[in-house]
Amino acid sequence: MDLELNFEISRTAEFILSRNFTRVALQFPDDLLKHSTKVVTCLRNKLGSGNKVGLFVMADTTFGSCCVDEVGASHIGADCVIHYGHTCLSPTSTLPAFCVFGKASINISCCVEKLSSYFRTNGKPIVVLYGLGYAHAISQIKRALEEAMPKTKMELIFSDVMCSIINPLEDHRKSDGLEGCLGTYSSENSLGSGTRYSLGGLTWDLPEGQRMEDYLLLWIGPENSAFSNAVLTFNGCEIVRYDATEDQLVTDVSQQKRILKRRYYLVERAKDANMVGILVGTLGVAGYLHMIHQMKELIMLAGKKAYTLVMGRPNPSKLANFPECDVFIYVSCAQTALLDSKEFLAPVITPFEAMLAFSSGSQWTGTYVLEFRDLISSSQLEVSKRPEEARFSFLKGGYVEDFEPQENGDEDNDSTLALANATEKALQLRDRDPGSLVKGTVKSGAEFFVTRSYHGLETHANSSSPEPYLIGRSGKASGYEDERSEPELGSN
Amino acid sequence: MAAKHQPDLIMCRKQPGIAIGRLCEKCDGKCVICDSLVRPCTLVRIKFTAEELRAIMGRKHNIRNMSVIGHVDHGKSALTDSLVAAAGIIAQEVAGDVRMTDTRADEAERGITIKSTGISLYYEMTDESLKSYKGERQGNEYLINLIDSPGHVDFSSEVTAALRITDGALVVVDCIEGVYMQTETVLRQSLGERIRPVLTVNKMDRCFLELQVDGEEAYRLFQRVIENANVIMATYEDPLLGNVQVYPEKGTVAFSAGLHGWAFTLTNFAKLYASKFGVDEGTMMERLWGENFFDPATKKWTTKNTGSASCKRGFVQFCYEPIKQIINACMNDEKDKLWPILNKLQVTMKSDDKELMGKALMKRVMQTWLPASSALLEMMIFHLPSPSKAQKYRVENLYEGPLDDMYANAIRNCDPEGPLMLYVSKMIPASDKGRFFAFGRVFSGKVSTGLKVRIMGPNYVPGEKKDLYVKSVQRTVIWMGNKQETVEDVPCGNTVAMVGLDQFITKNATLTNEKEVDAHPIRAMKFSVSPVVRVAVQCTVASDLPKLVEGLKRLVKSDPMVSCYIEESGVHIVAGVGELHLEICLKDLQEDFMNGTGIIRSDPVVSYRETVLERSCRTVMSKSPNKHNRLYMEARPLEEGLVEAIDDGRIGPRDDPENRSKILAKEYGWDKDLAKKIWCFGPDTTGPNVVIDMCKGVQYPNEIKDAVVAGFQWASKEGALAEENMRGICFEFCDVVLHADAIHRGGGQIIPTARRVFYAAQLTAKPRLLEPVYLVEIQAPEQALGGIYSVLNKKRGHVFEEMQRPGTPLYNIKAYLPVFESFGFSSTLRAATSGQAFPQCVFDHWDMMPSDPLEFGSLAAAHVADIRCWKGLREEMNPLSVYEDRK
């Protein structure tokens, strides 16, 4: 592999030198980590031995490796991050970042041949999106495609990579300020008529009066989270994917469409939740704090209880430690947001889905938003008036009562009654059958703990005689000492 | 209150369709337009107003709430017509053909009732007819709140809903077809609800016209019908309700021809003959039924047939033969013979009726002589309980709370001044699309327009705020015939429809006054059917989803039994009782509740259950994700009968452990101590699977109990085979090894591990699939039997009973048929028997599929693959190694 070319060593060096960075963090995803030492050597050579730029390799990113790990970088006091590999190009909040997408190999002539033959049969205008790894070849593909189909008056829109440099946002609280994070390209927003779309670091313009549904979406690249992101966001479009490694067109995206239905189910399920865990899944994506606050507010307004949990990448056993939560909201960058495994005890949903689920009156219309900035700008929280109708739960197949949102405030306003209320609640809880662990009846973590059947060590009331002294097993549960020999016995 | 002299409108016979005549006892009995004589009636019919109706509503002794129940096509709706006609809502002439209570277009089209329809009727009885009534009454006016119910099994939930709010039932049985499966089902249900039945042997006309059986044969036919019904009633007898069996000689059995609008009880004839024989009516009635014979030659009554040619059974001699004579005279147009007989019977025909010929004449004559309404009304008023009488014994069935609190007392006494207790049993679509009337019965107190009520839903638990709303009733409405009348208030003992509560009630609820916070709800209805057939629905255009969601919401309300929910894969499911039920539901959904928006439906699918055949072949072990904890488990099938006991709630999580262990030890041979160690039931904490703690010497297994229980609820809901519910599996928790440090044995470690070990135990215990099985009853003539057998064979069905109906050429076949094979069964059967066989399918039990779902290529494996495909799961199920850890 040509290191220099693939890792864009000279561009990187230029970037570092031009902005006079002195401490630079190099963030590698797991699959590229093996090249890190060589990259560092090359880069150091390029920067010149006299230069005192500190280069640090960062690996094992806390959250998704597609996001810039600002917290990791700030540990070493870095003033910029060079991000390698697949990225979601989510805006950062404090540090500037330079993204090296890498160059995935693609056979341009094969690709163009496949595409043009497909396009001839399909009359729709086309929008071309691609995995960032193929960004390097796009201009060639574009030229070749235009040559291959000179006569057809096909409308062909190629998306552009926004920028490989991410500049931090000064005030990410302002939702309109978020556009600044689009970097150098943002200034061009006003140019040209029509609608500007952006997704996962790609931007493109549609002529005025056209909707995405009128276009055929072509995706060049492997089937990864970026692709699912595109499929979900533009679920109304016809989508084909060109797989460069297999050299074939994949027109069947039913698997992805199925994901959408599954998400719909999760939203319905979230509506029935009483307690919600907010999982912090990023510390880098601009606006994440804002989003967490927004979520908390939303949940409170819906009369539910929110707990904020910070953990690394969530997995079933981590989340099962919080069985009191009926649903988790995963606040993270767009491309890691979709966590769906049947192994999770409670569903994990995205902030957008949470908004659908918890704001009364909102409906699942098919539009799907994954990125924060679209979310924050799209739906400002409005204090909804009390709904006319009780909420209908499709999981229970009937009306369910939602806890009155005012209830939380009640006790503060009515301090004289607070004690009485609290006692009343406690008495009700005692009344409940301790053996039954029906989830969804409790409203807060504390109440949940009360309903647990085990409250700590208990003394055996009926056996007063002392227990005999026994020698237990020693070692670890993953393999006790008396078990060590067993496999050997087996081999004999 | 004396009845107002307010003449009733009646249809002119010469200008059909126009109501122009007026008739009542005090009028001259002539139509004002055509001047023809309208028959004088025994009932003083008064076109009633809402005010009159409201006044009578307060007199709880003069109210009868009754449902008309019976097997499909035995003539319930036609018979109801006669009653409606007698109340002056439709013309007598058309009664039987209109089927007034079949209000939906598809009901008329298919000729079957789909939804139960309530109707309030007001009658004024003559003093003469009431003179032998011994019970309490307040005046001669009676209010009958009548509900006509569907007879098809697929809609028996409608019957359940109707029975809950009535106190009596008119059981309609075809005199030739006799007591069928559905007759039995509805009888069982009504007795379970403590509803007193009276019987009518319907379609008498078939005896005279179709079969032309002689008197003795007909008597046996009727007697058999009555006996069969009595056998069922005796089976479900209830000491509080007393003897519910029906006897013609006591007037609790009527003989009717709904289509022709005539009916009689033995009372009619007893009145006629009593004076002639110089005995009282009661004695005469007894002579008219059973082993009583009369010989006109000797003029003697005997209890045995003397053998003389003129000696005939009383019933035959005095009831059957005269009717036969008249019918024959009419049909053969022997008018010279007819008029003298009618004169003797004091039946006066109007002049233009005399012009009629054949069947029309017969219908008119019979209606005039033996009007169905008066016979049936008399039977209902005399033998069905008033609300105040019925609620005394029904309160135990109805009220969930303590039977000595004020609410129970108010219900028991049917106290209009007591607290409001109202049960909403059904939601009825209103004329403005998307809204519903909440239809129910006031058991105590009064419900009035504007009243603020507490709505206690089915999940309400006293003292909590779950499933509870306080809303006000916008309007209270009563059904007067086919139109709704708003009334100020409705007192206890009546049925009522309310506007403005539909957005808080899914299917049913208990309503009480706003302040009555201590009231317990009225017990939820128990249905005899369950939704086992389901289809996935989606919109043709994806963006119509909100319409679909709204439509499904309305569909759920409109039918007591349909259920709508979302599968894990995100598809909307509509589940119903059978194919017909689903078809009607989907039609309603699309046409009424979605305004014709296109929907796509999948083929019907069946829900399955997962179970095990044997004890696990070994104790399986799973390690927690951190490898520091181990759970050991075995699975075995639950004892036969125990599963059903859990289903019925005889054994459940809320039992007293002492009590439970007693039952388990006695009936199912469990070890007494073991029975106390049941950790939980599942799925949903009440399902028919259990976890038992069998650990010995483990210090604190309770510490992880909550986590294991959580894992069990999850696993039992989605079994290892096809993520269907588990059923009848007992998991024995054998041993556990926990990490010494609490942080390493938290729920996060245990819950997923417990789930895995449950699956592993299931897979090692010969897992099997259970499929739902219908009990099919088919009636067909002999020549159709071959076709029936061959269709059943092809569909994996098996016949377990074949019986000829005595006295008829019909055969009655009972068979078991997997629900999976039942789709299209009716039409295949009809095709194979040239339309002579009609099946009635009702869910009966879960049956184990004999083949091994783990064995590639078996039928069960194919089913598993189908379910997984439909659910969008990976086609292959996870192998055991995913769940089990070996050292």
Side-chain angles (χ1 to χ4, degrees), chain A residues 29-43:
Chain A
D30 295 351
D31 57 322
L32 293 178
L33 196 58
K34 54 181 185 264
H35 303 297
S36 58
T37 47
K38 282 179 249 165
V39 171
V40 169
T41 324
C42 273
L43 201 55

Side-chain angles (χ1 to χ4, degrees), chain B residues 322-335:
Chain B
I323 295 173
K324 196 174 170 187
Q325 243 180 341
I326 289 179
I327 288 182
N328 284 344
C330 293
M331 294 307 281
N332 303 332
D333 285 333
E334 297 161 333
K335 292 193 178 169

Side-chain angles (χ1 to χ4, degrees), chain B residues 189-245:
Chain B
Q189 278 196 350
S190 63
L191 294 173
E193 282 274 353
R194 291 204 174 127
I195 307 296
R196 181 172 281 280
V198 287
L199 185 79
T200 180
V201 180
N202 199 21
K203 298 202 179 177
M204 291 284 285
D205 46 317
R206 286 182 78 183
C207 283
F208 299 107
L209 303 176
E210 200 179 295
L211 293 179
Q212 312 220 328
V213 288
D214 71 23
E216 193 55 30
E217 209 176 317
Y219 172 81
R220 292 225 189 84
L221 211 54
F222 304 152
Q223 201 201 15
R224 205 170 295 119
V225 169
I226 296 164
E227 252 169 35
N228 286 344
N230 276 338
V231 165
I232 297 167
M233 292 188 214
T235 321
Y236 301 107
E237 212 172 75
D238 177 337
L240 268 171
L241 200 52
N243 185 2
V244 288
Q245 304 204 7

Side-chain angles (χ1 to χ4, degrees), chain B residues 468-746:
Chain B
L468 178 77
Y469 307 91
V470 176
K471 289 287 166 280
S472 38
V473 178
Q474 284 174 9
R475 227 149 42 85
T476 46
V477 172
I478 47 172
W479 253 263
M480 282 173 51
N482 50 354
K483 59 181 198 287
Q484 304 132 14
E485 290 279 350
T486 304
V487 288
E488 191 58 34
D489 60 352
V490 175
C492 54
N494 288 285
T495 51
V496 62
M498 285 155 293
V499 180
L501 305 177
D502 58 333
Q503 289 177 317
F504 302 90
I505 303 175
T506 317
K507 286 174 195 287
N508 33 58
T510 307
L511 308 188
T512 181
N513 296 96
E514 184 190 8
K515 300 252 153 46
E516 310 292 351
V517 290
D518 304 325
H520 287 245
I522 286 173
R523 195 159 282 142
M525 293 185 285
K526 214 170 167 197
F527 292 101
S528 62
V529 284
S530 46
V532 282
V533 184
R534 45 188 182 168
V535 288
V537 288
Q538 62 184 92
C539 339
T540 333
V541 186
S543 56
D544 280 338
L545 186 76
K547 279 191 196 160
L548 177 67
V549 167
E550 193 56 37
L552 288 172
K553 214 177 347 183
R554 292 175 190 168
L555 177 64
V556 168
K557 276 195 235 182
S558 72
D559 187 291
M561 202 20 96
V562 75
S563 87
C564 300
Y565 55 94
I566 301 188
E567 279 273 342
E568 294 257 320
S569 54
V571 287
H572 284 277
I573 307 289
V574 176
V577 174
E579 229 184 344
L580 179 65
H581 183 216
L582 265 185
E583 197 184 310
I584 300 288
C585 286
L586 291 179
K587 188 179 150 285
D588 280 359
L589 173 66
Q590 187 169 5
E591 289 173 10
D592 294 350
F593 304 133
M594 287 175 70
N595 300 326
T597 311
I599 51 171
I600 309 167
R601 53 174 286 188
S602 70
D603 288 333
V605 233
V606 173
S607 39
Y608 293 81
R609 295 286 183 269
E610 297 180 16
T611 192
V612 294
L613 190 61
E614 292 173 2
R615 175 174 284 276
S616 297
C617 56
R618 59 172 178 273
T619 305
V620 289
M621 182 269 284
S622 299
K623 286 185 199 172
S624 62
N626 64 9
K627 312 284 181 225
H628 292 311
N629 306 282
R630 300 159 171 211
L631 303 178
Y632 295 83
M633 187 78 68
E634 277 182 27
R636 65 169 176 86
L638 276 177
E639 284 78 2
E640 214 170 292
L642 185 51
V643 181
E644 286 73 24
I646 299 173
D647 276 344
D648 297 344
R650 268 204 318 124
I651 295 173
R654 272 177 251 287
D655 297 341
D656 171 42
E658 280 296 332
N659 229 342
R660 179 161 73 202
S661 78
K662 217 178 273 169
I663 301 180
L664 287 173
K666 217 169 100 192
E667 292 179 33
Y668 304 103
W670 280 38
D671 188 85
K672 267 216 154 174
D673 294 329
L674 191 63
K676 282 182 198 160
K677 289 192 166 171
I678 294 182
W679 263 4
C680 62
F681 294 79
D684 298 324
T685 69
T686 52
N689 303 283
V690 292
V691 180
I692 315 177
D693 170 26
M694 299 270 276
C695 301
K696 294 209 172 66
V698 176
Q699 199 74 337
Y700 300 113
N702 274 346
E703 185 181 341
I704 59 159
K705 180 179 165 186
D706 286 332
V708 173
V709 169
F712 173 66
Q713 298 305 342
W714 188 6
S716 56
K717 194 162 189 142
E718 301 170 356
L721 296 178
E723 300 196 355
E724 292 285 308
N725 287 0
M726 292 184 185
R727 182 178 168 84
I729 310 182
C730 175
F731 289 101
E732 297 180 348
F733 188 47
C734 307
D735 195 7
V736 57
V737 179
L738 295 176
H739 193 275
D741 197 345
I743 195 84
H744 293 305
R745 53 171 200 242

